[in-house]
Structure formats: C-alpha cells, structure tokens
Amino acid sequence: MLCPMVYDLLEAAERIRVRAEGWEADWNRLAPALDDAIRVRIRIGFPTFTLASIDDITQELLCWYHDRATAGTLLERWDRSRSVVGFLSGSVVQHRVLDWLARGRHPLGLIKLGDAEVTEWAVPAQEVRDPDADQHRERTQITLSEMLQPPWKLATPAREVTREYRVAGVELHQRLDWTQPVARRVHTELPAFLQRLPADTWEDELRARLQAKVAVLEKRRTAAEARLDSPIIRDATAARSILAKTLFQLEVCPLEPEDLKAMTGGSAANAQQLVSSYRRALPDLVPALAQAWAVIRRLDAGVEARA
Amino acid sequence: MNGTWMATLAQPPATADQLWTWAGYAARAEVLGAGPPCRDAIAAQVARLGTSLDALAPGVTTQLRDLETASGTRLAELLVIIQDAALLSGCVGDLLTDAARRSIQAWTEDAEGVMLDHDAADALDVFLGTSPLPDALRIGPLVAPLPAAERLLAIQLVSLHLAPRRTIMAAIRQTTQPLEHHMTKIVQFAHHTWQQILGDAFTPPSLPAVMAIGALGKSDQEELSIPRIPVTLHLTGAQPFKIKLARTLHDRKAGPDSQILALEITSDLPVEAVVLFDIGDSGAKGDFFMVARKGEAAIDANKLKQRIENDDGGIHFKRRDQGDRAIFELDIINDYKHLKASDVRLLKYGHYAVQFKGGICFVFDLYKDK
C-alpha cells in the first residue's frame, strides 16, 4: 500500500506525462520533492559545493525538466512501477553537474579559506590526507594545474611491473620522471614490450610516433576550440565534449590501440585491452592523477556500482 | 553491436517487429554513405509489412526502460538504438506521427543524462570506429565518449586550458589588472550563470537575458581619482560578445555643480538603452543580483526589459553618437536640477541596466565599499 504522498506524486507524474489539463499544478506538486532529491544527490557527490552552486545546478535541471514536461518528453520512459522522483534524480544529476562544470563557470571543489573563496580547482578539504588540521589550510590550496605539472612519478607497484605500467611507460613517455627507480624498471622492459620496434632505436621511434599523434590531436584541439564560439549551442556543446576528450588524450593517452598493436605485435583485441586496462588503472599508476581523481572516484562510485 | 548490421540491412525485415531496427540501420547507412537514400526503401517495407513505424515506437520505449541502470556494452547498445532512432527521425520524420517523433526526442534527451562507464565508452568508441557518424548528427553521449571519471578530469583540463579566456572573472581581471586593487568582491561573479544566460540569449526565439555583475566597488576617493574604468568581457562558448564600459564623470565648465556622468559603451551588439536605477543605493545589491543568483534570468529579464521600457523608476541616459562610439550621458544639471551638488557622487552608484538590440540586458552594480 503506497503512502498518500507517494501515491499523490505518482498521480501527479502520470498527469504530467500525458499533459493532462492542469498538469502545471501537478508539476508544482512534484517539483519541491524533486528539488530536495536533486540537492541531496549533489551534496553527496560534491560535498564541497557551495549552496549557491547547488542552487544553480538544481534550478538549471528543474528548468530543463519543466521545458521537457511542457514539450511532453519528460516522462516518456517512466512507468508507474518506479518512483518518479528516483527516476528524475538518478545519474542525470551527476551528469548535469559535469555539464555545469564543463561550462567552466565554477571550479570543482570550491572551498573557502577564511573570507576568500578559492577560485581555482582544488582538492576538497576532506580529500586531503593530512591528519594535522592546522596544516589543512595550506594543503587545500593544491590546484589541479600544480598536481598535473610534469614530470610525473609512477606509483610503486605491489609486485612486479604489470602490463599497465608498460603501457604507461609508452603513453606517458614524454611526461614521466625517468630518473625514478620504478620508471627505470619500466624503461628496461619497454624494448621487449615494443618488440616490433628496432631494439636499438625503439625510443626514437616511439617519440616520433608520439609526436605524430600529438600533432593530430593538436589539430583536433584547435578545430574544437574554434567551434567553441559557434552561435549554435549544440555545436558549441559538441565542441566542448570533443575538446575535453582531446585534451584528455593529449595528457594521458595520445596513442590509440592501433599504435600499440603496431608496436607490440599483438592482436587488435589485445591492443584494445591493453589501452583499456591502462586507462582504468591510471589513478593507481600515477599518484598525481590519483589525487586529481579523488573526487572523481566518489562520483564514479555510483556508476561502477551499477556494473 | 557492429559486425552484422550491414548484413541485417541487406535483408528486408521479415516481420513487423524487425522493421524499426532495420529502418534505423537504413538511416545509418544513408548517413554514412553506405546505402541508398533510405526514405523510399523504408516506405516500401512499411507498405509491404502492413504496419507503421509509429506502432513500433512504444515497443522501443519499453526496450529502453533500463537506460539509467544499464552499464557496459548493454548501455552502449541502448544508446546506439537511440542514435539510430534519431537518424531515422531525421531521414523519415514525415513518415512519423508527432507522438513518435516526440518519443524519439524524449529518448534522445534522456540519453543526454546518461553516465558512461569504461566498458560503455569503449564499446561506443568501437562502434564509432566502424560507423563514423558526423558530429552534428550524434546524440550527446556519442559525440566524444568518455567514462564519467575521465570526463570529469577532462573537464578540468579544459578549464585549465581555456582558463584565461574562459571565465568572466579571468576576462575582467585580465582587462582591469592595473585597476584590480580598486575592484572588490569580484568573487561574487562566481555565483552567476553567465554562460548559460548568454547562450539562452541567442537561442531562438531570442529570450532576453540578464547578465549581472555583482559589484565594481571602490572607495569614494579612489573613484573620483580614476575617471575611467574599462571592463571588457569576451565570452566564449556562445556568440563572441564584447562590452567595454567606460564610466566618466565630466566636469562642465559652466559652473561648480555642473557635471555629466557618461557611460561609454563599445559593444558587438548595438546598445538601445542605458538606465540607472536606485540612485544612491550604494550598499544594496537589489533585485537584479538576486535575479541572477536564482537562475531565473530569462523570466526576470522580461520584467527588467519592461522596467527599462516603461521608465519605471529609472533614469535614462541620453545617447550621443561620437563617430562609431555611443556615449550615454546623464546631464545632471539640465535634467536633475532637484539634485544638490552633494548628490552627484551618489548618482554614480546604483544599478545600471544596459539593453542591447535583441533584448539582452546587461546589469551591473556600482556601489561604495563599506
């Protein structure tokens, strides 16, 4: 037996779904419950967000929902067996947070230091592994740009150097600190790993391949940047996505599976698997990225839990 | 997900149940230049099977029920179904009823909210490797598939990359760096929704929008000693848009109380009106600030526009063209004889509203620091 409030929302949702006469009043009943649920979801995912930020995202999402309800596209896939509030406040909320961040209006983990707000992306206070609260203040000022400043160090592997480390040695060849003992171990294994490259010139060939890939990605980046200014919002949005992916590739995975295939001599499927497992392991391989990913992992937990 | 679709397409659908998928493949093939124009072929199959695509849409909706909870290759498959439906709607939209088109639109919008995991992103990359659809025709998640975790980092990389020209704060700071010590409370800009609002302003049917700047406050002494404060905002992510404001307090030689407050505006968009509200309300942020914070700019911009046009409590600046420049002047002596000399300074503070052609409103506050 459903409680009256839940039943009331279900009825309201059904009327919104079919845009029954007076559905706007039903929307006004549903919206507050939805507003609460969205806020809770944002707070869980991004506990450092300011109230104003949460307001922004929530309002934005509710406005979008209202537009969709008006157009009759909001609850097309919803059925009465599901909580309408749950249906509308699921992973879409996280997605909207990312969109909101992508538009660059707000840095991630906006935190307060005294009266001033830190305006750069920073590791939220609770993610900083520093037991000394007095030191917190300085530690929270670590910014992403500082974190990602190469050369990067590799994490010490628990046992032997795995294939993910070898791929890291290839993909991050221009970013790693090769004086580090772990990196040196990886380096010694690369000639065998890249068995299709000549043993005496493998490093030069790898660099050349990387430079060629980077050149292609740079072109893509430039093209995407030019489209950011498109007056067509859809085009600008697509450009932002492409730019994000391109920069990510430039930063951590400029080579593609076919490059690995050509250099290692493995099958296409094997090369795909190599790149895939390397990308999944990245936060564990590179401490700088692990720190940058600290927040992301919490966000991603919701996604991974479904898998 | 990829391997057999061309083979499936080569065979006409055996049953009505297969028609939707087949039609989607046909639309995809046409877009990829791998098949003939699909409209006639689909119409022929519809006629042959004695059914309609509309009748099949509810079945697809059912198929997509678990879009939010699916992951990995299953999620990728569902997104490809939606992608094909979007292509289908583009190719044979006229064969579909409003209800069916609305269903496809709903699926596409729902897809916008999907978070990809690694497996799903990998599967979509593989799909796009064999079906390289043009960006413009891809649904959101297929434009540049990235797992949620990587996307968040990528977004931050974009922010870093574009930081100098991307944020309003950065733009203002860059322009006004020499004067930055005179500007306070710039962080308030962080609460506003500039880019969204500016984007909306260019979306037909041309919703008016408010762009609110929190405050450019300075002490009285400093203000009088700095006659011009240029602010250039170059926003990206939407139509390039520049505003340059120069606020000048001219002395008029006619007499000791004669002064003109001039607002010089250089902008990509023609300025239609400049209005000053709430004279002397130096400390209050007022309604405009709240309007922007609530993200209800589109609605309240209408009210603001009405307020500007209806002369509701505002003091209108007079336009004076100087070559390609537009100077908006407030002649204190001629128009506001009731004001005392001591009011002149206060006159500079308050809420300024600038209305551009197309209904876009630009609002900024000037007030004293406390």
Side-chain angles (χ1 to χ4, degrees):
Chain A
M1 182 77 179
L2 294 172
C3 78
M5 197 185 84
V6 173
Y7 184 78
D8 187 44
L9 286 182
L10 284 177
E11 288 299 302
E14 184 56 35
R15 292 170 59 79
I16 294 166
R17 190 176 72 81
V18 298
R19 285 182 296 174
E21 195 176 334
W23 69 267
E24 292 90 347
D26 295 297
W27 169 257
N28 290 339
R29 290 213 304 280
L30 176 62
L34 204 47
D35 184 286
D36 289 345
I38 293 167
R39 286 170 191 280
V40 166
R41 185 108 189 175
I42 298 172
R43 272 192 218 106
I44 292 171
F46 292 87
T48 55
F49 272 18
T50 61
L51 191 58
S53 306
I54 296 172
D55 275 352
D56 267 0
I57 299 165
T58 307
Q59 288 277 340
E60 201 174 273
L61 184 53
L62 284 176
C63 284
W64 186 55
Y65 278 164
H66 184 265
D67 289 347
R68 293 184 62 192
T70 305
T73 62
L74 179 61
L75 294 167
E76 171 76 13
R77 292 183 313 101
W78 173 76
D79 64 75
R80 292 177 66 99
S81 66
R82 289 191 275 185
S83 152
V84 66
V85 173
F87 179 72
L88 294 174
S89 61
S91 61
V92 65
V93 175
Q94 293 166 325
H95 196 280
R96 297 298 285 201
V97 172
L98 294 187
D99 280 348
W100 181 82
L101 288 165
R103 288 194 294 274
R105 283 175 285 152
H106 299 260
L108 180 61
L110 189 70
I111 52 174
K112 281 184 180 289
L113 292 175
D115 292 333
E117 282 181 332
V118 172
T119 54
E120 260 199 285
W121 190 91
V123 179
Q126 55 265 54
E127 298 295 340
V128 178
R129 293 173 196 156
D130 188 341
D132 185 352
D134 292 339
Q135 297 300 315
H136 237 177
R137 206 175 159 114
E138 279 117 308
R139 295 298 302 276
T140 54
Q141 293 181 57
I142 302 166
T143 61
L144 182 64
S145 52
E146 288 166 346
M147 272 187 248
L148 295 181
Q149 194 67 40
W152 292 345
K153 292 190 185 303
L154 285 170
T156 306
R159 294 192 186 96
E160 72 279 8
V161 167
T162 60
R163 63 178 185 170
E164 287 81 11
Y165 275 87
R166 293 183 201 105
V167 179
V170 176
E171 293 273 19
L172 304 177
H173 191 266
Q174 294 173 318
R175 296 191 178 278
L176 289 180
D177 174 5
W178 290 107
T179 64
Q180 190 198 6
V182 180
R184 285 206 303 273
R185 274 171 63 195
V186 172
H187 194 266
T188 58
E189 297 196 16
L190 288 185
F193 181 59
L194 304 175
Q195 57 182 286
R196 284 289 177 89
L197 301 184
D200 50 346
T201 59
W202 69 269
E203 198 151 20
D204 291 339
E205 299 224 3
L206 172 60
R207 276 199 204 100
R209 190 177 281 267
L210 279 166
Q211 280 164 6
K213 282 291 174 186
V214 165
V216 171
L217 288 168
E218 288 288 359
K219 271 189 185 172
R220 195 180 302 165
R221 178 185 62 75
T222 306
E225 273 187 56
R227 285 173 61 198
L228 284 177
D229 293 336
S230 169
I232 302 162
I233 289 174
R234 184 185 158 78
D235 195 36
T237 305
R240 212 158 41 219
S241 295
I242 294 166
L243 181 62
K245 183 163 184 170
T246 306
L247 286 174
F248 182 83
Q249 288 177 296
L250 275 167
E251 197 77 24
V252 297
C253 51
L255 298 173
E256 296 191 40
E258 59 262 33
D259 298 302
L260 266 293
K261 178 176 178 289
M263 291 188 291
T264 62
S267 66
N270 182 254
Q272 176 74 42
Q273 182 60 34
L274 280 175
V275 172
S276 183
S277 59
Y278 154 72
R279 280 171 61 171
R280 285 162 210 246
L282 256 175
D284 299 324
L285 297 172
V286 183
L289 288 172
Q291 227 175 353
W293 246 304
V295 180
I296 300 163
R297 281 183 161 177
R298 183 178 55 234
L299 175 82
D300 205 29
V303 180
E304 297 299 331
R306 298 191 325 227
Chain B
M1 191 163 64
N2 279 299
T4 59
W5 75 275
M6 286 296 281
T8 303
L9 182 61
Q11 303 296 322
T15 65
D17 288 344
Q18 295 169 3
L19 176 60
W20 185 279
T21 304
W22 186 89
Y25 289 167
R28 193 199 304 174
E30 180 183 331
V31 167
L32 293 172
C38 64
R39 194 187 179 289
D40 290 347
I42 292 172
Q45 296 305 326
V46 166
R48 181 177 69 82
L49 294 166
T51 185
S52 72
L53 288 169
D54 299 301
L56 300 169
V60 183
T61 297
T62 305
Q63 205 180 344
L64 297 171
R65 279 272 149 79
D66 63 337
L67 184 66
E68 291 81 15
T69 51
S71 61
T73 51
R74 169 67 182 157
L75 175 58
E77 281 168 4
L78 294 178
L79 290 171
V80 171
I81 289 171
I82 296 173
Q83 176 65 73
D84 282 343
L87 297 175
L88 183 64
S89 183
C91 286
V92 295
D94 58 324
L95 293 180
L96 301 169
T97 59
D98 286 348
R101 281 197 297 270
R102 195 165 52 239
S103 293
I104 294 173
Q105 179 65 23
W107 307 335
T108 306
E109 288 170 351
D110 285 344
E112 301 286 339
V114 163
M115 300 274 278
L116 299 178
D117 56 86
H118 274 96
D119 286 337
D122 284 350
L124 289 176
D125 275 336
V126 171
F127 167 75
L128 292 167
T130 55
S131 298
L133 301 168
D135 293 347
L137 297 180
R138 294 186 192 183
I139 60 171
L142 270 71
V143 170
L146 266 186
E150 293 183 354
R151 188 168 167 237
L152 187 48
L153 183 59
I155 285 167
Q156 298 302 315
L157 293 173
V158 172
S159 295
L160 287 176
H161 183 70
L162 298 179
R165 69 188 190 101
R166 189 74 191 276
T167 68
I168 305 299
M169 274 184 290
I172 290 174
R173 281 188 169 154
Q174 200 171 26
T175 308
T176 60
Q177 202 167 14
L179 299 172
E180 189 164 350
H181 64 286
H182 298 300
M183 302 172 68
T184 60
K185 296 184 173 63
I186 283 179
V187 288
Q188 289 176 2
F189 295 148
H191 297 309
H192 301 312
T193 52
W194 280 77
Q195 293 222 328
Q196 176 206 12
I197 291 165
L198 187 62
D200 288 346
F202 292 99
T203 305
S206 184
L207 287 175
V210 168
M211 294 178 285
I213 290 184
L216 301 176
K218 304 190 282 61
S219 73
D220 282 351
Q221 286 280 318
E222 287 169 333
E223 178 145 18
L224 288 174
S225 66
I226 300 172
R228 296 170 65 85
I229 301 176
V231 178
T232 301
L233 306 177
H234 187 178
L235 310 181
T236 59
Q239 184 165 312
F241 183 75
K242 289 180 187 170
I243 305 169
K244 185 174 181 182
L245 297 174
R247 194 165 48 108
T248 314
L249 196 62
H250 293 299
D251 284 327
R252 187 180 266 184
K253 293 176 182 174
D257 291 346
S258 300
Q259 293 193 43
I260 295 175
L261 176 64
L263 200 65
E264 184 181 334
I265 300 172
T266 310
S267 163
D268 289 354
L269 298 176
V271 178
E272 297 207 326
V274 176
V275 186
L276 172 65
F277 294 111
D278 302 330
I279 298 173
D281 185 15
S282 59
K285 297 183 183 71
D287 291 339
F288 303 153
F289 183 79
M290 296 309 294
V291 163
R293 283 192 64 149
K294 293 291 181 189
E296 296 163 350
I299 297 166
D300 287 276
N302 283 320
K303 290 180 187 167
L304 175 62
K305 191 162 172 272
Q306 284 170 8
R307 195 173 168 189
I308 293 171
E309 289 169 355
N310 296 338
D311 199 11
D312 181 10
I315 296 176
H316 289 243
F317 282 56
K318 286 181 181 172
R319 183 190 180 105
R320 186 165 58 82
D321 291 325
Q322 281 187 348
D324 59 349
R325 293 188 309 165
I327 308 288
F328 290 82
E329 289 182 343
L330 193 60
D331 189 333
I332 295 165
I333 286 296
N334 291 338
D335 292 349
Y336 302 97
K337 290 179 179 171
H338 61 285
L339 293 174
K340 299 171 189 170
S342 57
D343 291 329
V344 171
R345 183 178 291 175
L346 286 178
L347 201 58
K348 294 176 292 181
Y349 303 115
H351 305 302
Y352 288 81
V354 178
Q355 186 189 342
F356 297 95
K357 191 174 182 181
I360 300 165
C361 298
F362 177 89
V363 180
F364 60 98
D365 296 341
L366 294 176
Y367 63 90
K368 282 187 293 189
D369 289 338
K370 287 181 177 175

